[in-house]
Amino acid sequence: MSLLSQKGSAYDIDKECKQAFRTGKFYYLTFMNEKEIKAQIEDEIQKTESLIEEYRELTKPESPDAAIDDHERMDAINNRSINEAALRQAEEKYKKLNYVLTKIGTPEFGVCMQCGQPIPIERILIRPESSHCVNCAR
């Protein structure tokens, strides 16, 4: 149930939001349009897909007959291992984002998988792939 259906007007919602902000309460998913959240997650998926492609290009092996000295070769190997780690992280994030996208509109969306408490909307907006609240993620 949203605030709009509980209170009845945009003025009441704004007043309630300001009061919650002053008292330090967090708003959860019921207070935000699921379409907006879905659009943000889809946007994040597109960004992550672009990163994955970029990292795949950067992790391609160097040609053995490339004319580079030993120091450059070691730098290239080191850079490639860093990019491979970034690629693995991006691929993991991509999987989580797609999983979260399938959960929008279900009772599981926005609920911590460990403790069952609502995940603050702020956390979901910052890290849409989050499946745990801040306390359980520590």
Side-chain angles (χ1 to χ4, degrees):
M1 183 185 302
S2 73
L3 265 178
L4 186 57
S5 60
Q6 290 174 353
K7 299 291 182 183
S9 75
Y11 172 78
D12 290 331
I13 293 171
D14 186 52
K15 184 177 169 186
E16 188 75 17
C17 288
K18 287 177 183 172
Q19 177 63 28
F21 181 76
R22 282 193 294 273
T23 59
K25 293 179 184 175
F26 289 104
Y27 276 85
Y28 298 97
L29 288 175
T30 54
F31 302 104
M32 187 171 185
N33 186 338
E34 285 183 356
K35 288 181 183 180
E36 292 172 7
I37 296 170
K38 183 177 180 179
Q40 182 169 348
I41 292 172
E42 288 172 341
D43 183 51
E44 195 66 29
I45 287 172
Q46 288 179 342
K47 289 177 187 176
T48 305
E49 286 174 339
S50 297
L51 276 176
I52 289 171
E53 288 303 315
E54 185 178 324
Y55 288 136
R56 283 187 179 150
E57 282 296 315
L58 292 171
T59 57
K60 286 184 178 178
E62 289 286 322
S63 171
D65 36 313
I68 57 175
D69 64 24
D70 289 340
H71 293 288
E72 289 175 344
R73 189 174 310 282
M74 291 305 293
D75 284 343
I77 290 170
N78 187 37
N79 289 339
R80 190 171 68 176
S81 64
I82 291 169
N83 289 326
E84 286 171 346
L87 174 61
R88 284 190 299 274
Q89 287 178 340
E91 288 172 336
E92 185 64 29
K93 181 178 180 178
Y94 179 76
K95 288 178 193 174
K96 288 179 180 180
L97 286 167
N98 278 301
Y99 175 77
V100 167
L101 192 61
T102 65
K103 295 298 177 186
I104 291 178
T106 67
E108 295 93 27
F109 184 65
V111 176
C112 177
M113 292 178 72
Q114 187 169 338
C115 69
Q117 293 297 312
I119 300 171
I121 188 65
E122 293 83 1
R123 178 164 174 78
I124 292 174
L125 293 176
I126 292 170
R127 294 188 56 124
E129 71 275 15
S130 298
S131 59
H132 294 84
C133 66
V134 175
N135 291 331
C136 293
R138 292 182 188 171

